[in-house]
Amino acid sequence: MPHRVAVIAPSPVSMFNLAIPEMLFGKVEVDGRPGYEVLVCAADPGPVPTTGGLDLSVRHGLDALREADTVVVAGTGAPFEPEPRIVAAVREAADAGKRIASICTGAFQLAEAGLLHGRRATTYWAHADELRKRYPQVHLQGDVLYVQDGPYLTSSGYAAGIDLCLHIIRTDYGAAVANEVARLALVAPVRPGGQTQFTHTPLPPERGTACADTRGWAMRNLDKPLTLTDLARHSGVSVRTLTRRFHAESGVSPLQWLLHQRIERARELLETTTLPMDQVAAACGLGTADSLRAHMVRRTGLTPSAYRTQFSRLGTGPDAVTSSVA
């Protein structure tokens, strides 16, 4: 018998979230037979509103969970209002020993059901602080693609649901089957759950202009080994005064700000040029390729080469940019 997966559609459901399990599980074949049977269900069968303004017709109710081996809760546009009937059904499924997973904001339903109490979990980065505030007993991993803690799995936003489902397929049927599904679906092979979510991590908003000229000057000279003394000299103040003013305006120390700008510049160069790694490191002031690697792994979870492979905006042909660092 195929493994039965019940996918819950909370209202208003994310159409993309809802499509992921069927798209991937539906491509699994074992010895010429389907590896999974996927049923979409809702608290109220019939028209279910979506975040895109459409209604989806869902035929099955939450009683479908009783026959399921795995339950997947899709994300919703109303994450902070868990549906009590879904929460109760998920808790009952967990008590029956079923595997429970969530995609994106579906984690709020699992947390409300108490399944994540004392466990590691994740959700879409934009809502991570809210989940942490509402459910402090959850050990939130705010910057990973997906987490499995015992029989409970949670993924971060949008396409991380693909990684979660591929991980489930690999767990059930092995890496070869999971990678074949990824190839058929034209998506990346199984990625480790600990890989970081590629979120924009802005600095706190600037609250003054006294150091604005110095910040602009530093941005134009990121390829140079700037020190606190260099920044203070440009600003015409002591190091102590610069540090105090800089923190008051930017929310971070001058060197923290400078390192953030260097890493952001490195990411830009990796995405938009084919410069060798030592030249990227030099152009953004990180010194060596080894230093670039250490900072990129710490910030993104990927080596510079892997980051470029995933996020390059260029082809690899003769028209690719190879030397522009301006």
Side-chain angles (χ1 to χ4, degrees):
M1 294 291 293
H3 187 104
R4 292 175 176 170
V5 179
V7 184
I8 301 177
S11 176
V13 68
S14 163
M15 291 188 291
F16 183 60
N17 279 191
L18 200 60
I20 289 171
E22 192 283 327
M23 177 183 71
L24 296 176
F25 294 136
K27 286 181 167 55
V28 175
E29 287 193 1
V30 180
D31 297 328
R33 298 180 179 179
Y36 295 93
E37 176 186 350
V38 182
L39 293 177
V40 177
C41 57
D44 293 308
V48 174
T50 72
T51 54
L54 303 175
D55 284 350
L56 294 179
S57 179
V58 177
R59 292 184 295 168
H60 302 282
L62 296 177
D63 54 349
L65 273 62
R66 298 192 184 99
E67 302 300 323
D69 302 298
T70 295
V71 175
V72 179
V73 183
T76 171
F80 311 143
E81 302 171 11
E83 161 60 56
R85 289 171 293 173
I86 292 177
V87 171
V90 166
R91 187 184 296 119
E92 181 181 337
D95 290 342
K98 302 178 189 297
R99 180 170 56 190
I100 313 292
S102 67
I103 298 176
C104 194
T105 56
F108 283 82
Q109 309 276 352
L110 273 61
E112 183 69 16
L115 306 188
L116 305 181
H117 186 106
R119 294 183 181 271
R120 294 176 298 114
T122 192
T123 190
Y124 181 42
W125 66 270
H127 297 310
D129 287 343
E130 188 66 28
L131 190 143
R132 186 181 289 110
K133 181 174 69 176
R134 289 170 178 261
Y135 307 102
Q137 304 91 345
V138 177
H139 300 317
L140 188 67
Q141 313 290 296
D143 198 25
V144 297
L145 294 178
Y146 60 88
V147 175
Q148 177 167 5
D149 192 329
Y152 307 128
L153 302 94
T154 52
S155 74
S156 56
Y158 299 102
I162 295 174
D163 298 290
L164 176 73
C165 290
L166 288 174
H167 169 73
I168 290 174
I169 295 169
R170 179 177 59 184
T171 300
D172 292 342
Y173 294 108
V177 172
N179 288 334
E180 175 63 12
V181 169
R183 186 184 70 82
L184 292 172
L186 300 178
V187 297
V190 181
R191 296 186 291 177
Q195 181 170 309
T196 185
Q197 298 181 41
F198 294 101
T199 60
H200 178 50
T201 53
L203 294 172
E206 295 178 359
R207 296 183 291 272
T209 60
C211 297
D213 287 345
T214 296
R215 288 194 294 268
W217 173 79
M219 289 291 291
R220 295 189 296 274
N221 291 275
L222 287 177
D223 58 325
K224 298 179 175 61
L226 302 177
T227 65
L228 267 177
T229 301
D230 295 327
L231 296 173
R233 184 182 297 116
H234 181 275
S235 195
V237 297
S238 68
V239 168
R240 178 177 295 182
T241 298
L242 173 80
T243 300
R244 176 174 51 79
R245 289 180 179 176
F246 215 99
H247 198 282
E249 292 185 12
S250 302
V252 293
S253 73
L255 293 184
Q256 287 175 320
W257 178 90
L258 188 60
L259 178 60
H260 179 94
Q261 303 302 336
R262 293 191 191 284
I263 296 172
E264 291 303 301
R265 180 61 166 150
R267 291 171 67 162
E268 177 186 350
L269 292 174
L270 290 169
E271 293 175 18
T272 60
T273 78
T274 57
L275 286 168
M277 296 307 167
D278 57 345
Q279 292 185 34
V280 172
C284 61
L286 289 175
T288 66
D290 287 342
S291 177
L292 171 67
R293 178 187 177 93
H295 285 295
M296 286 297 296
V297 169
R298 189 175 300 116
R299 173 65 64 86
T300 70
L302 294 177
T303 65
S305 295
Y307 184 89
R308 171 174 277 166
T309 297
Q310 285 198 220
F311 294 99
S312 176
R313 306 173 199 170
L314 303 171
T316 56
D319 295 331
V321 178
T322 58
S323 60
S324 174
V325 296

